[in-house]
Amino acid sequence: MDWAVLYMRLFAGAMMLFHNIGKIQNYNEIIASYPTVLNINPAVVFVVVSVAEVLLAVLVIMGLWVRQAAFLMALGVLLTFVWGGLGAGEPEFVWLGIYVFLIVSGSGFYGFDTALAAAGGKKRPIEQ
């Protein structure tokens, strides 16, 4: 199971990074379809969303704070469904499923979360 979680983390993180590279390369075509959220310029929304997705994808790949990162990405997909103007549909539903899997599984054995927990050590009760 830990190998499956590692694969899913690497796959989802890499796909999100490649997705963002494509968005950045096609900035001029994409920016027109970005919504104005709370009266914020679409260019600003694009930059904030892209930076957040890249940082969260790197956290998922590293296995650091995976549940929190996947939750934030799932929240972003749900917001896409709410706004609906970005072509919400089947691909977003697949991404939501992947993020829910990562929320449930966490980083697995092969992630920085596990290494940090082991390095911190578990406190033992005082023996009498």
Side-chain angles (χ1 to χ4, degrees), residues 3 6 8 48 61 66 70 75 77 85 88 92 120:
W3 286 103
L6 174 64
M8 184 59 78
V48 169
I61 290 171
V66 171
L75 189 62
V77 171
E92 286 82 3

Side-chain angles (χ1 to χ4, degrees), residues 9-60:
R9 276 192 10 244
L10 295 176
F11 173 79
M15 290 303 294
M16 187 53 70
L17 285 175
F18 289 132
H19 168 74
N20 277 288
I21 290 170
K23 281 193 337 186
I24 291 167
Q25 289 175 337
N26 296 319
Y27 172 81
N28 291 330
E29 291 83 27
I30 291 176
I31 196 63
S33 68
Y34 257 71
T36 302
V37 179
L38 302 173
N39 263 350
I40 300 173
N41 187 345
V44 174
V45 174
F46 176 84
V47 169
V48 169
V49 168
S50 295
V51 168
E53 286 178 346
V54 167
L55 292 175
L56 293 172
V58 169
L59 288 174
V60 167

